[in-house]
Amino acid sequence: MPLAESVARRLRSPDYDRWMGNAAATGYCHNPVRLVGSSTTLHEPTGEVLADYASSREPDGITFTRCGNRRAIRCASCSHEYKGDTWHMIMAGAAGGMKEVPEAVATHPMVFLTLTAPSFGAVHTTATDRRDGTCEHGMTRGCRCTHAEDDPQRGDAVCPDCYDYVGQVVWQYHAPELWRRFTIRLRRELARTLGVTQRAASRVVRVQFAKVAEFQRRGVVHFHAIIRLDGVDPVDPFPPAPASVTTAHLIEAIGAAVKKTKVVAAPAPGEDTSRELRWGKQFDARVIVRHDGLDGSLSDRAVAAYIAKYATKATEDLDSASGGRAHIQRVKQTVRHLAKFVDAEGPYAQLHKWDGMLGFRGHFSTKSRRYSVTLGALRGARRAWRLSALLDKVRPTEDVTPDEVLVIGSWSYAGMGWLTDGDKVLATEAANGAREWRNDRARARYQTHERRTP
C-alpha cells in the first residue's frame, strides 16, 4: 500500500484517537513490541474485580508497549526515557534532595573521573602530530592533517597496517575487569593516604560510584564516573564521611590507583604471549561542587547531564553518519577473526557475541550498591504511579491502596514495530513534535532561571 494512502487510512479511521492515545502511551516508540492478551486488576482482600483489559478491544486487536532500547540511534523515545532515568540516578547521588537521597550527600568528598584507554597506534585528530619520519608502510608516524570536529576521518588509524587492532580488542574485552580491579585498588590506596590499614579504613569510610562507558572515535571505550566518599553507619544509608577524610585524600588515592591497576590478559587467539593491560596515560579527576558552576568549576548538575548523555550512546553512533567507517569495520572484523580460533572453554569463549560492541562486553552504566536509587526502582515508581492513577479512576472515593491490588495477566508476543509504514510515520511525527515541545519547555525554564540569577 502506498505510504500516503496508508497514512490517510489511519487518519480517517473511526478509532484514530484511540490508536494515537495508545501510541502516546508508548512514548511514540520507534519500534514497539506488539502483544495480544488480557489482564485483570483485583482487590486482593475481597477478590473484587477493579478493572479488566483486553487487547482485542484495541484498534487492530493489538496492545503496544515500549521496545526499551537505550540507544538513541535505535529509538529516540526509549533512549530519552533511559537518559532521564540515568540522570535522576546520577543526580540523586551527586546533589541529593531527591529520590529518597538526602541533600547532605552533596557535601561529601566527590570527584568526576575520566579514564581512557592506552594508545594502539596513531589516529587522525584535531591536534596536529609533528612526529618526524614515516613508518615501514610509508605513512607518517602521526596525523599532520587539519581536521574539523565533524570530519568523519577523525579517529581513523593513520596507518591501518601499523595499528594494533588485536591489542585494542583484547583491551576492550578486559576493560570491565580493569575497572573492577581499579575499584579494589582505589580502596587500598585510600587507606594508604589516610595512614591506616584497609580494614580500619573500611570501618569509617566507604567508596560509592556511578560509572558509564563511552566509545571514543577510534572505537575504544573510556569511562566517566562520579566517585563519592561516605561514612559508615548501620542505620543511615548515606552517612557523611569523617571530617578527617577529604577530597584531597580521594584525588591522591585515585591517581595512585590509576597508575597501579593492571590486568594480565591471556594470549589472544593465535598468539603465544600474554598482555599487561593498563589505563591510558591521560586521565582526569576533578572535584565536583554544589552550585551552578558559573565560576568555571564543575557542578553536580552538569556532571549528571554529561554522564546521562553518554549512557544512551553505543557503537552505531561512531559510523552511522558516514555510512560505515573503514576503521570501525576493521575493528569488528578483528573481533570476528579472533572468534574463529577461540577455545570453547578458554578466556575468550564469549568473544563472538560482542563484535557489534567492538569487543566490549561490559555494562554501559553501573553503580555501587549505595550510590543512590536504582534504575529498577525508578521503573517501579512509574508502575506504581500508573496503578495509583487507575485506582483513582475506578475507585476515586474509596480507600484502596496499591499494596492491596493484584494484577493477573496473560500475554503473548505478536511481533515488533508498527503495523504499517503509515502508522510508523504518524508515530514518528508525533514523537518529533513531543520532543520539540519538551525542548521548548526546557529552554523556557533555563531562560527563566537566567533572568532570576543575580
Side-chain angles (χ1 to χ4, degrees):
M1 181 186 302
L3 178 60
E5 183 179 344
S6 176
V7 171
R9 175 173 293 188
R10 178 61 73 185
L11 289 172
R12 290 195 300 263
S13 64
D15 54 10
Y16 169 74
D17 289 341
R18 176 71 179 244
W19 179 88
M20 184 55 76
N22 291 341
T26 72
Y28 307 108
C29 177
H30 183 74
N31 190 36
V33 181
R34 300 196 299 267
L35 300 173
V36 293
S38 62
S39 65
T40 303
T41 304
L42 305 170
H43 183 214
E44 190 172 12
T46 64
E48 179 187 357
V49 175
L50 300 176
D52 68 291
Y53 174 86
S55 60
S56 59
R57 299 197 291 267
E58 296 292 355
D60 308 308
I62 291 173
T63 295
F64 293 96
T65 188
R66 283 181 176 274
C67 70
N69 198 309
R70 66 167 183 81
R71 302 176 187 176
I73 197 169
R74 295 293 187 184
C75 180
S77 172
C78 292
S79 170
H80 180 82
E81 181 176 78
Y82 183 89
K83 183 187 295 186
D85 284 353
T86 301
W87 185 88
H88 282 288
M89 183 266 287
I90 297 291
M91 189 63 180
M98 57 190 298
K99 310 302 178 184
E100 300 181 358
V101 180
E103 291 187 14
V105 298
T107 64
H108 295 195
M110 204 176 323
V111 166
F112 179 53
L113 172 66
T114 297
L115 295 172
T116 63
S119 173
F120 302 102
V123 296
H124 290 281
T125 68
T126 54
T128 302
D129 191 331
R130 297 297 183 184
R131 282 181 290 179
D132 295 329
T134 59
C135 68
E136 60 182 299
H137 307 103
M139 305 295 290
T140 59
R141 296 191 179 278
C143 175
R144 300 178 187 173
C145 315
T146 301
H147 298 288
E149 286 290 336
D150 58 351
D151 190 334
Q153 194 178 19
R154 282 183 55 236
D156 291 357
V158 173
C159 178
D161 294 326
C162 288
Y163 196 84
D164 186 8
Y165 285 97
V166 173
Q168 175 169 318
V169 170
V170 170
W171 188 93
Q172 193 115 281
Y173 191 74
H174 291 85
E177 176 63 13
L178 195 62
W179 169 260
R180 190 184 73 86
R181 298 279 185 91
F182 166 75
T183 60
I184 294 172
R185 172 62 67 175
L186 176 59
R187 294 177 175 92
R188 294 174 181 170
E189 294 300 326
L190 181 60
R192 182 188 60 79
T193 62
L194 294 174
V196 299
T197 65
Q198 189 174 351
R199 176 173 292 185
S202 68
R203 296 192 183 104
V204 296
V205 65
R206 283 199 180 107
V207 175
Q208 308 294 345
F209 66 85
K211 175 266 293 179
V212 298
E214 177 206 357
F215 273 98
Q216 295 176 297
R217 293 280 303 178
R218 57 180 171 146
V220 66
V221 295
H222 61 186
F223 296 126
H224 303 288
I226 291 177
I227 300 180
R228 189 185 74 219
L229 296 183
D230 291 356
V232 178
D233 191 306
V235 178
D236 184 357
F238 303 99
S244 58
V245 181
T246 67
T247 306
H249 291 117
L250 180 56
I251 292 283
E252 181 181 346
I254 287 174
V258 170
K259 295 176 181 177
K260 295 179 182 179
T261 301
K262 66 178 181 179
V263 170
V264 178
E271 295 186 346
D272 298 323
T273 57
S274 59
R275 296 171 185 255
E276 186 176 274
L277 310 179
R278 294 182 178 273
W279 298 111
K281 294 180 180 180
Q282 294 181 338
F283 73 94
D284 185 41
R286 299 174 59 188
V287 177
I288 299 174
V289 297
R290 188 187 181 186
H291 55 62
D292 291 332
L294 298 178
D295 59 355
S297 57
L298 195 61
S299 71
D300 44 24
R301 183 171 294 272
V303 169
Y306 187 71
I307 291 182
K309 177 179 69 173
Y310 287 114
T312 62
K313 292 184 177 292
T315 54
E316 291 94 336
D317 301 273
L318 294 173
D319 59 344
S320 59
S322 58
R325 289 165 49 205
H327 176 75
I328 298 302
Q329 295 307 314
R330 184 155 177 177
V331 177
K332 293 182 180 180
Q333 291 168 5
T334 302
V335 176
R336 294 167 188 155
H337 175 75
L338 294 175
K340 293 179 180 179
F341 305 97
V342 165
D343 184 341
E345 302 297 327
Y348 297 94
Q350 302 299 313
L351 182 60
H352 66 283
K353 296 182 178 181
W354 304 105
D355 65 306
M357 302 304 294
L358 310 185
F360 179 64
R361 55 180 174 146
H363 293 289
F364 269 83
S365 176
T366 60
K367 73 174 192 65
S368 57
R369 183 184 297 265
R370 297 189 182 186
Y371 172 80
S372 72
V373 65
T374 66
L375 296 179
L378 293 173
R379 290 190 290 267
R382 277 197 296 274
R383 288 193 295 269
W385 181 87
R386 288 194 294 268
L387 182 57
S388 295
L390 173 64
L391 293 178
D392 290 341
K393 181 178 179 180
V394 299
R395 298 288 291 270
T397 61
E398 298 187 33
D399 186 20
V400 177
T401 66
D403 292 338
E404 299 175 332
V405 173
L406 178 66
V407 180
I408 301 175
S410 176
W411 295 97
S412 299
Y413 174 76
M416 294 289 294
W418 300 106
L419 287 177
T420 68
D421 289 340
D423 288 354
K424 185 174 182 178
V425 167
L426 288 171
T428 300
E429 288 301 313
N432 292 339
R435 193 155 45 249
E436 184 177 349
W437 177 78
R438 286 195 300 266
N439 291 339
D440 288 343
R441 287 187 63 197
R443 281 192 291 268
R445 286 196 301 268
Y446 176 77
Q447 291 169 357
T448 301
H449 173 76
E450 287 292 291
R451 287 194 296 268
R452 293 176 178 175
T453 301

